[in-house]
Amino acid sequence: MNLKNLSDEALHQQTLDLAREERRLQIEVLHHLRETERRMLFAKRGHSSLLDYCVAELGYTRSAGQRRVDSMRVLKQVPEIEARLSDGSLSLTHLSEAQTFFRKEGIREPEKKREVLEQLVGQSVMQAQRTLMSLTDQPERHIPERVRVVSEELTEVRFVVDQATLAQLEELKALLSHAQPGMSLKDAFKYGLELALAKHRVKPPKQKSLVPAPVPETPSASIPAQVRREVYHRDGGACTYVDTTSGRRCASKYYLELDHIVPRAHGGANTPENLRLRCRTHNRLVAIEVLGHARMARHVPALR
Ligand SMILES: [Zn+2]
């Protein structure tokens, strides 16, 4: 098709039709994402979140994927808003901004969400952001954290802290003023991070003695620290779920849990051989296999 031969009127009409079709497709994608989340297809395919699936498999940037996941969640709770997306009076960006606002303000009731969304109809994104800020008494809560690469080695990280946190940083600088004179806020922050990581990092397992320690025959609720460490380091500190079709390993380092290969209820022991690291998503996938989708859906809204 050579667009150069189209009349102005025809060019305008076709572009209009395409934009409408584009919005229809966007909404279709949201419905598909909802079903993908409901049956946890993203997890079966080796991803620890729907957002990771959007980025890795659908080719969206992280921010475009986030807008779609947020919009899907809004649409699920306030289905009437679909008409606004259809006619273009609200966009995915509006819905995503609103969803972030609801999350930070702790707004859960669909009725309240609908009320807020109606106020954004027909507004530009900037106007909508102003409207949202007029609805909170704690605007500082909504200042986004920024991470910006400034060179190969350096990244700018920007976030807002309250007075109490600033006072803590200043206190640390004062306490260390003899040992480390002229400490900057960044140095104080780094020092605090190193201490926190030293405390929370999973320690390597102790060298095994030649005589192995007896492992209790009957499974107990608590897994010995030595076993936890061994499993953690053996599995590389990451989720071990592998999608058998694609061979993709999840490898998430977030929300890690120890999963019993043979469930404890079936006599599975607390031994390293019977344990593996799984992220929460993939632990849930196992629970669905064992308990069934319907039973799990009673506790997990995303599965409905
Ligand atoms: Zn996982």
Side-chain angles (χ1 to χ4, degrees), residues 223-224 227-229 231-232 235 256-260 275-278 283:
I223 299 164
V227 174
R228 285 175 178 277
R229 287 174 194 174
V231 175
Y232 182 89
D235 292 348
L256 291 177
E257 298 169 356
L258 284 171
D259 173 47
H260 288 81
L275 289 163
R276 58 190 171 188
L277 275 188
R278 285 286 162 95
N283 222 351

Side-chain angles (χ1 to χ4, degrees), residues 239 250 279 282:
C239 177
C250 167
C279 70
H282 287 113

